[in-house]
Amino acid sequence: MEDCVFCKIIKGELLSTKLYEDNDFVIIKDINPTAKVHLLAIPKNHVPYIDMMTEEGASYLGKIMLKISKMQEELGITEGFRLVINQGENAGQTVEHVHIHILGGEKLKEM
Ligand code: AMP
Ligand code: ZN
């Protein structure tokens, strides 16, 4: 999508710190970290909200989570991590392109 920040990052039109990329998703550093390690796993396909995802897209999100769990060393989250998806206004979603927050690198506050 033309005006989407994450689509611009994926296309290389906007600068980001990329830690990982394959055909289907990227992992970048969050520009405004709320934990020592704060990354975003962003599927390349533009879907604004998880409730708009297809079954296939949703099962792909599961695969991304599995991949993250196998990349703990590279991502600096070996002592534990938290995965978060914000959906909609009450959750504070600010970018309308589904993404998974990866938080770790320190003892996280209780939710
Ligand atoms: P959410 O509030 O769940 O929609 O999360 C959006 C996240 O994207 C926030 O944590 C922002 O700090 C992050 N963000 C916004 N723009 C950028 C950018 N250009 N590069 C990296 N992270 C970004
Ligand atoms: Zn997008």
Side-chain angles (χ1 to χ4, degrees), residues 27-40:
I27 298 179
I28 66 165
K29 282 193 181 177
D30 195 292
I31 206 170
N32 187 20
T34 60
K36 197 167 170 198
V37 175
H38 186 172
L39 309 172
L40 301 170

Side-chain angles (χ1 to χ4, degrees), residues 6 9 28-32 40 86 92-95 99 101:
F6 289 168
I9 285 175
I28 66 165
K29 282 193 181 177
D30 195 292
I31 206 170
N32 187 20
L40 301 170
N86 291 319
Q93 183 178 359
T94 56
V95 180
H99 53 282
H101 293 260

Side-chain angles (χ1 to χ4, degrees), residues 13-29:
E13 292 171 6
L14 204 65
L15 223 61
S16 70
T17 308
K18 263 184 210 157
L19 276 73
Y20 178 80
E21 177 164 19
D22 67 19
N23 286 336
D24 304 303
F25 79 108
V26 295
I27 298 179
I28 66 165
K29 282 193 181 177

